[in-house]
Every structure is written in C-alpha cells, then in structure tokens.
Amino acid sequence: MSKHRRSSAFGNDQLGEENRTESTVQPAGSGARKLRRAGLSGLLAALAGLGLSELISALLPGGVSPMLAVGAFIIDIVPPFLKDLAISLFGTQDKLVLLISIGAGIAVFAAVSGIAERFRPPLGSVFITVFGIAGVLAAITRANASWSAALPALAGGAFSVLVLRFLISALQKPSTQAPASATEGTERAGLIARRSFGQLAIGAAAIGVIGIAVGRAISQAATTAYRFVIPQAQNPEALPEGTDLNIDGLSPFVTPNGDFYRIDTALTVPQIDPQQWSLRIFGMVDQEVTVSFEELLTMPVLERSVTLTCVSNEVGGELAGNAIWTGVPIRDLLSKAGVSDDADMVLSMSQDGYTAGTPLDALTDPNRDAILAMAMNGEPLPPEHGYPVRMVAPGLYGYVSATKWVVSMEVTRFDQKQAYWTPRGYAEKAPIKLASRIEVPKSFASLTPGPVVVAGTAWAQHTGVDAVEVRFDKGPWQRATLGAVPSNDTWRQWRYEWDAQGAGTHYIEVRAIDASGTVQTQESAPPLPDGSSGWHNRAVKIEG
C-alpha cells in the first residue's frame, strides 16, 4: 500500500486532502464527532429558520406558518383509510401526533443537510432551499392565500441556509495567529473554532426557541374570542326532567365545551375578527346576500340541543357530543336570497378553505332546525369549535353539515360541485346511522356478584331513539330504561340493572331501535364511506 494513498469516509480524494489540511489546525477528532457536529449544525440552522418563520407568520397579515402549511398539505393528500386509522389510534390528538411527526421529519432532514453541507458543500444548502420552496408552495396553494403567505417560508429558508453556512464555516475555521509549535497551533486553532461555533450555536438556538415561542403566543392571543351578548332565543328549548340519569362514568346529557370532540382539517385554529367576518350566500339564488356578524346578532335566533357525530367514529367510539346551540335559522337566510327550484345542495366553505356539501332540503326543512350557531352551551363559540360562526344541521354527519368558521354558502347541485371529502371516497349525502354504545361498566372491568348498572347512550338524529336493548352472553334481549329527551335531534341516555352472577368473563351487547321501528343493524361496517355500523359489546369479569 502506498504511503501517499488518500482516503475519506465519503470516498473522495479531494475531500481527504481537505480533511488532512483541517487536521493541522484543530484537534484530531473521530469521524463520528465530525458527523455529530455537522448534524447539530443542520438542526440548529433549521430551528433558527423555523423560529424566524413562525414569528413572521404571526406578525404579518396573511402570513402562513410553513410547518402548518406542510401539515395541511399532508392532511389534504393522505388517503381516507389512513385518516380513519389515525383517528382510531389517536382520537382528537391526531393533529398533535401529525405535528410531532413533521417535527421529527424536519429534524432528520436538517441533520442530513448539515452533514451534506460539511462534507459535500453546498449540497446541504441545496437541501434546505428545496425544503423552503416546498414550504412556499404549500403556503401559497392554501385556500384564500395572498402573496404574503409565501414570505415566512422564504425568509425562514434563506435564514436557515445563512446560519448553516456560518456554523459549518466555524467548524473549519483556521487559526490566524502564528503558533509557537505545531501542537500548540493545532490546539489554539481548535479552541478558537469551538468557541466560535459554540457562540453561533447558542445564538441560533435562541433565535429558534424565542421565535417559535413568541410566534405561537401571538397566534394564540389572536384566536381568543371576544365576548358579546348572546341574543335571546325565541321559544328556547327547555330540557325535560330526567334527561341526565346521573350515573358515574356515563357521558352527561350536555357535553361541556372543553370535553366536546374536535375533528377537522385545520392544524391551527383560524383567526377571524368578528368585526371583519361576513357570510356570503350566492350561486343559484335570486339575489346574492352578504351578512355581517353585527347583522346576524340582530336576527331572530333559535336555541336547540343537537348531537353532532363524526363520520370517523367507530362503533362504540367517543367522537360524538351533545350541546345546546344558539343561532340563526339557515332557512331564513336562504329564503332571503331566493333559492332556485333546480338546486339541491349548499356548498359551505370555512375560512381555511374546507368545504361541505349539505342537502338543500336539510337546511330549508321547517321541521329541522339547521342553524348558523354563534353560541355553544350559553357561551360564544370556542375558537376551536368554529368561532365566530359555524353550521349545525341535525341528522347528518359533521363532514357534510357542520362547517366551522363558515364564510360562504353556495347554492348549487350535487352533480355540479363536490365538497372536500367527496373525491376522497366519502358519500355525498351522509345521514347519521342509528347507533348505541356501552359506557358503564368499562371494558374488562372486575365486578362483584349482584346488581350492576349497565348504561350508555344511543342516537338516531333526526328520527329519535324509541328503545334500547341489552343482552348478556348471547341471551335474550332485555329492554333498558331510557332518559328523557327534548327532541329527536339529541342522543338519549339509557340504563339497565343487571343481576351479575357466575364467576368468569361475560359479554354485554347493545342495540337501539329508532322511532320508525328500525332495529340497529348487526352488520359491521367501517367509517368509510358513510359511517360505521354494528353492535357495540364489552367484556367484563365477575369475581368468584
């Protein structure tokens, strides 16, 4: 083997020469140490860029966070079965899991970019530039995006490249002082390089952390709903005695705002100033109508208890909730616009571009109180539930009826327009399926022999639940006691007192019967395309 042979970890002769040159001005370090420092450089550069972009997106009107824009793009392209899988695994934490996954992906990409910039310059800068361009494209292709949407990603990407180059340069910085000896010179140069790198690293980390923290704080403050006087409802709906059976572990009849499920496509809550908000009604109408929030507050309003259900809810799942909603009847606004006889659908759009296609007759039916809700359980809508205005239409899954942050309603036809989820495989029209679930006792609970309360909820919006039956170990069906309801648009609590006997495992099943006499089907079906079905069951153990 020749003593002049050159080598490097990346198989490049020229790079080997560079590494030998560098070894004369800084302490000899292992290849692993160089990789770690280069990877750290990439991470810090990405953190600094994200911090700057988050701050700019929060301060700039129309600015869009690149990370959230990329996340929204992923939500748009993910296959429906993966969406349902994510919801079944993580429930209402699915967005948090997505953001954590994106963050982990950015970290890996950034580390690779740092290593590439250290050993194959300017490849790392190219990687970050490409990622920045992806953030720009994701931002400007969002609904209602303006030119300013691209600025945070542009600034953040450029800043990341700049920081990365400074950090890598610091790692390779030679000494400018004449050394007393070769060894002393090597140690001095290494100390200078480490000190310079450390200072830059601390600065980059500070910019990233402070930028993200301040940007998020500004965004959070901007989504805080302002208080307003909720209009007095005409003939408010009173809850009859006995709606809530008051059983430990059973969902309350009225779901508190903080416990109400949230499933939507928005990674961040849209920021809407109610004084700037308006609803546009157009399309197949006699005249286009635009309504401001102030005008909405002066209109006659209804107060109705309505249960909402997500189409992604599995049999026995928790993606259902009941609240008291206050708002203006949608049929009144559509009547003001004058709806064409040929129309059969209303395509509503949220501020973030999401669309839902609702059957027109569900919104104009005088016996079905579909409303533009401004309040939830006696309070202004929480930002995450649609503030300042959302749709609530009884009897239909949320993806076709419950548009949050609604800003427009286009009167049209199903054969002319498609809503967000329709081309992704979900049904155009989605009436909520008859469903029931066991909530008490919990799955695999250990019970003592004797009387045991079995309880849960059942729903058949806009038809109503007439009966609930339970059975044990495939035995005969037994009728449960039902709670009262104010209307057919809410869920219904039920209970059955079971004489639990016989040590070992026992199986409980439940089914509901609606007001038309239809018995809940045993046939199992997944959420896609129009909601899950099947009997809910639980296994419990009676102690010997």
Side-chain angles (χ1 to χ4, degrees):
M1 179 181 297
S2 171
K3 64 178 181 181
H4 297 295
R5 181 178 176 181
R6 301 176 180 178
S7 63
S8 76
F10 290 80
N12 183 285
D13 292 346
Q14 183 179 358
L15 182 60
E17 182 67 32
E18 176 192 326
N19 288 341
R20 270 200 309 279
T21 301
E22 180 182 331
S23 69
T24 65
V25 294
Q26 63 183 23
S30 66
R33 182 182 301 172
K34 294 178 182 178
L35 287 173
R36 287 196 298 270
R37 289 180 178 177
L40 178 61
S41 298
L43 288 172
L44 291 171
L47 178 61
L50 284 175
L52 181 63
S53 65
E54 287 293 323
L55 185 59
I56 292 175
S57 66
L59 294 173
L60 183 68
V64 177
S65 162
M67 187 171 179
L68 296 179
V70 171
F73 176 75
I74 292 173
I75 291 175
D76 288 348
I77 65 173
V78 70
F81 78 89
L82 286 181
K83 176 192 76 78
D84 288 331
L85 176 62
I87 292 175
S88 66
L89 290 175
F90 307 114
T92 56
Q93 300 301 315
D94 58 329
K95 295 179 179 64
L96 176 60
V97 172
L98 175 60
L99 288 175
I100 291 174
S101 300
I102 292 173
I106 291 175
V108 172
F109 185 85
V112 171
S113 298
I115 294 171
E117 185 70 16
R118 169 66 178 79
F119 296 103
R120 286 285 189 273
L123 191 57
S125 297
V126 172
F127 286 168
I128 292 180
T129 300
V130 170
F131 191 79
I133 292 173
V136 169
L137 294 176
I140 63 176
T141 54
R142 301 307 299 164
N144 304 316
S146 62
W147 63 269
S148 59
L151 291 182
L154 284 172
F159 190 58
S160 291
V161 171
L162 184 64
V163 172
L164 178 61
R165 291 194 169 186
F166 271 113
L167 288 168
I168 296 299
S169 177
L171 288 178
Q172 301 170 326
K173 186 175 182 180
S175 173
T176 59
Q177 302 179 24
S181 67
T183 301
E184 181 183 348
T186 298
E187 293 176 350
R188 182 182 300 168
L191 178 61
I192 294 172
R194 287 194 298 272
R195 184 177 298 166
S196 177
F197 177 81
Q199 292 170 344
L200 286 171
I202 292 172
I207 291 173
V209 172
I210 294 174
I212 292 173
V214 173
R216 289 292 87 205
I218 294 173
S219 297
Q220 184 65 34
T223 60
T224 302
Y226 90 112
R227 311 301 295 183
F228 60 88
V229 177
I230 300 172
Q232 181 65 40
Q234 297 177 336
N235 302 317
E237 187 176 66
L239 299 183
E241 185 178 352
T243 54
D244 205 317
L245 300 179
N246 297 312
I247 298 172
D248 288 342
L250 180 63
S251 298
F253 181 76
V254 176
T255 308
N257 290 357
D259 296 336
F260 207 94
Y261 78 94
R262 178 197 168 192
I263 298 292
D264 51 54
T265 62
L267 274 177
T268 183
V269 175
Q271 303 172 24
I272 303 176
D273 181 351
Q275 295 180 334
Q276 302 297 322
W277 177 90
S278 65
L279 176 74
R280 178 189 177 209
I281 301 176
F282 66 105
M284 299 174 66
V285 296
D286 295 338
Q287 60 178 355
E288 184 172 315
V289 172
T290 300
V291 182
S292 69
F293 189 73
E294 289 74 15
E295 290 173 323
L296 210 61
L297 291 175
T298 65
M299 297 179 180
V301 299
L302 299 176
E303 181 183 272
R304 293 292 182 265
S305 178
V306 177
T307 297
L308 299 184
T309 308
C310 180
V311 72
S312 296
N313 197 40
E314 299 281 356
V315 172
E318 299 179 351
L319 302 182
N322 187 62
I324 299 173
W325 309 93
T326 304
V328 174
I330 294 176
R331 58 175 173 265
D332 290 354
L333 295 171
L334 293 176
S335 176
K336 185 177 180 180
V339 176
S340 168
D341 292 337
D342 294 331
D344 64 4
M345 187 254 275
V346 170
L347 187 72
S348 56
M349 177 179 288
S350 72
Q351 193 269 348
D352 66 341
Y354 173 84
T355 55
T358 311
L360 179 61
D361 56 7
L363 301 178
T364 57
D365 185 352
N367 298 313
R368 188 193 303 240
D369 292 326
I371 62 174
L372 285 176
M374 300 170 286
M376 179 180 183
N377 293 333
E379 300 178 355
L381 283 174
E384 63 271 19
H385 289 296
Y387 175 84
V389 180
R390 68 171 297 165
M391 288 177 60
V392 175
L396 303 170
Y397 284 117
Y399 82 98
V400 299
S401 68
T403 305
K404 302 174 185 177
W405 315 291
V406 62
V407 294
S408 72
M409 300 173 67
E410 180 183 3
V411 180
T412 181
R413 294 183 53 83
F414 281 104
D415 59 9
Q416 294 179 5
K417 294 292 179 70
Q418 285 188 320
Y420 182 90
W421 285 113
T422 305
R424 292 167 172 82
Y426 283 88
E428 285 186 332
K429 304 174 183 179
I432 294 175
K433 293 182 179 179
L434 176 60
S436 57
R437 65 184 182 190
I438 303 165
E439 299 182 47
V440 179
K442 299 298 184 183
S443 292
F444 308 111
S446 294
L447 310 174
T448 56
V452 172
V453 173
V454 180
T457 46
W459 53 85
Q461 298 102 309
H462 182 63
T463 305
V465 172
D466 190 58
V468 172
E469 298 179 331
V470 292
R471 70 176 181 180
F472 306 88
D473 301 321
K474 304 295 183 180
W477 289 100
Q478 309 289 335
R479 286 286 174 107
T481 300
L482 300 179
V485 288
S487 73
N488 290 331
D489 292 329
T490 71
W491 62 17
R492 196 165 196 174
Q493 294 184 348
W494 59 268
R495 61 167 290 164
Y496 181 85
E497 191 166 304
W498 174 38
D499 184 16
Q501 300 295 335
T505 301
H506 295 264
Y507 297 92
I508 310 172
E509 293 176 287
V510 64
R511 70 181 185 186
I513 302 171
D514 71 17
S516 69
T518 300
V519 179
Q520 182 181 343
T521 180
Q522 184 182 8
E523 182 179 354
S524 179
L528 186 68
D530 59 356
S532 64
S533 68
W535 294 342
H536 189 216
N537 64 82
R538 279 190 171 172
V540 296
K541 183 179 180 180
I542 299 178
E543 300 295 338

